[in-house]
Amino acid sequence: MTTRSEPGRGRPDPGLDAIVSERRHLINLAYRLLGSLTEAEDAVQETYTRWYAMSRQQQDAIESPGAWLTTVASRVCLNVLGSARVRRETYVGEWIPEPLPGRAEWISGRPGGAVVDPADRVTLDESVGLAFMVVLESMTPAERVAFVLHDVFCHSFAEVAEIVGRTPAACRQLASSARRRVRAARPLPAPAARSTGVVSAFKEAWEAKDIDALIGLLDPDATAIADGGGLAQSFLHPIEGGERIAHAWAGLADRRRDGMTLLERTVNGQPGLVAQQDGVIVTVLAFEVAGDRIRHIWVMRNPEKLRRWTTG
């Protein structure tokens, strides 16, 4: 459907295509703001609900519907971020942003595994890498919104100020503080080809239970964090230190069940691994590689965050 008729007049709405075409942008924005594609989709749905709750005259009076949708979606996300902090205080174990598959593996998680509409896909660039998303989680809601809108989506501070309800100068300070967090937390990333090689070597060493090889691939100060959400077995506290991680992963290999396979996959646009049990993905692993070593491993086990990876 490309046009909408105004009730009682049958007059087509030539702007409907433009409104619908904003969906992908809004999904991309909301995912970066919330770290959860499920919550992002809910926020975008709420945004469209507010648009269609207006009369035709109210809609026609809006000079830039795209800007209006972005503003409303950002404010909805800002409210969600405030309540999410409270919810995560009772979350079982560590909370990790929802990992996203590569385009080839992207499926809906709906019954039957139907392919997701392209408008619902998130563009996988460096601003959506899991390492970056984890840094965003360390920010206050206002910092995150100001930084993402200005530094990632190139909105002016005047526009950001209207959304977050602060002055442009205050928003500039928020974005600057967020930028310092990003610089402090993220080393110069390894080239994609090198990261792929390191992750591939890690997979081989893990399968071989080669502790020395695993230690050689891990930064001495590496950390591993798992998210089971109380719905799947995982370690509740971060594992710190390359040697400890190597021994833990060798122990996981010892306990590997029949029918379990490891595959190299793209996770949030970066080289990663997935574990399949009898053909169904049950674990997604994302990595941050600096130089020739792994600095961080994020292990997603929460099935509610793996719906986009489920094949049936």
Side-chain angles (χ1 to χ4, degrees):
M1 181 178 70
T2 59
T3 60
R4 171 173 62 88
S5 295
E6 186 180 19
R9 297 189 182 182
R11 182 162 64 91
D13 177 3
L16 182 58
D17 280 345
I19 295 299
V20 174
S21 69
E22 292 291 327
R23 180 173 175 82
R24 185 165 189 178
H25 165 72
L26 297 176
I27 289 287
N28 274 271
L29 172 64
Y31 173 73
R32 286 163 174 80
L33 290 178
L34 300 176
S36 164
L37 191 55
T38 301
E39 291 183 345
E41 290 172 336
D42 290 343
V44 172
Q45 182 61 41
E46 171 63 20
T47 300
Y48 277 106
T49 296
R50 295 186 186 186
W51 171 265
Y52 288 114
M54 293 190 296
S55 68
R56 179 65 177 276
Q57 289 72 24
Q58 289 173 315
Q59 293 171 357
D60 289 343
I62 294 174
E63 183 176 349
S64 173
W68 186 93
L69 291 168
T70 295
T71 296
V72 172
S74 299
R75 287 173 177 167
V76 170
C77 289
L78 186 59
N79 290 335
V80 172
L81 283 171
S83 61
R85 284 179 171 263
V86 176
R87 293 198 308 273
R88 288 171 193 170
E89 289 178 359
T90 60
Y91 193 80
V92 178
E94 299 289 328
W95 193 95
I96 298 174
E98 181 180 344
L100 302 181
R103 183 172 300 174
E105 293 86 25
W106 189 292
I107 59 176
S108 69
R110 301 185 183 96
V115 175
V116 167
D117 187 296
D120 287 339
R121 292 196 185 113
V122 173
T123 302
L124 300 176
D125 59 24
E126 65 178 9
S127 73
V128 81
L130 207 62
F132 183 77
M133 297 297 295
V134 169
V135 178
L136 293 180
E137 286 297 316
S138 70
M139 300 176 185
T140 67
E143 279 180 334
R144 186 167 184 168
V145 172
F147 175 76
V148 169
L149 284 172
H150 180 268
D151 285 43
V152 179
F153 289 93
C154 301
H155 287 273
S156 70
F157 283 118
E159 293 171 317
V160 176
E162 182 181 352
I163 291 170
V164 301
R166 304 196 185 190
T167 65
C171 291
R172 187 183 299 276
Q173 290 180 338
L174 287 169
S176 178
S177 174
R179 213 172 292 126
R180 288 194 295 270
R181 291 178 187 261
V182 172
R183 285 197 296 264
R186 299 182 68 205
L188 186 66
R194 185 179 301 170
S195 294
T196 299
V198 171
V199 172
S200 180
F202 182 87
K203 172 182 176 289
E204 293 177 6
W206 183 10
E207 291 177 319
K209 306 175 189 178
D210 188 336
I211 293 178
D212 289 338
L214 288 169
I215 292 174
L217 291 165
L218 290 158
D219 186 282
D221 296 322
T223 60
I225 298 174
D227 181 342
L231 301 174
Q233 185 176 4
S234 65
F235 50 94
L236 293 178
H237 304 289
I239 302 175
E240 299 181 350
E243 189 168 341
R244 290 187 62 199
I245 293 172
H247 283 279
W249 254 248
L252 291 173
D254 283 333
R255 297 190 297 274
R256 188 167 153 182
R257 297 165 56 189
D258 292 338
M260 179 75 74
T261 56
L262 285 174
L263 301 170
E264 295 181 40
R265 290 289 185 268
T266 297
V267 182
N268 282 58
Q270 303 295 322
L273 299 174
V274 301
Q276 287 186 340
Q277 181 64 50
D278 300 320
V280 177
I281 293 176
V282 294
T283 307
V284 172
L285 297 95
F287 299 82
E288 180 182 48
V289 178
D292 294 315
R293 293 196 170 188
I294 296 167
R295 292 184 76 246
H296 295 289
I297 304 175
W298 295 281
V299 183
M300 180 55 66
R301 296 270 297 152
N302 185 340
E304 293 185 348
K305 296 183 181 181
L306 295 178
R307 292 173 181 170
R308 271 75 191 178
W309 300 80
T310 306
T311 56

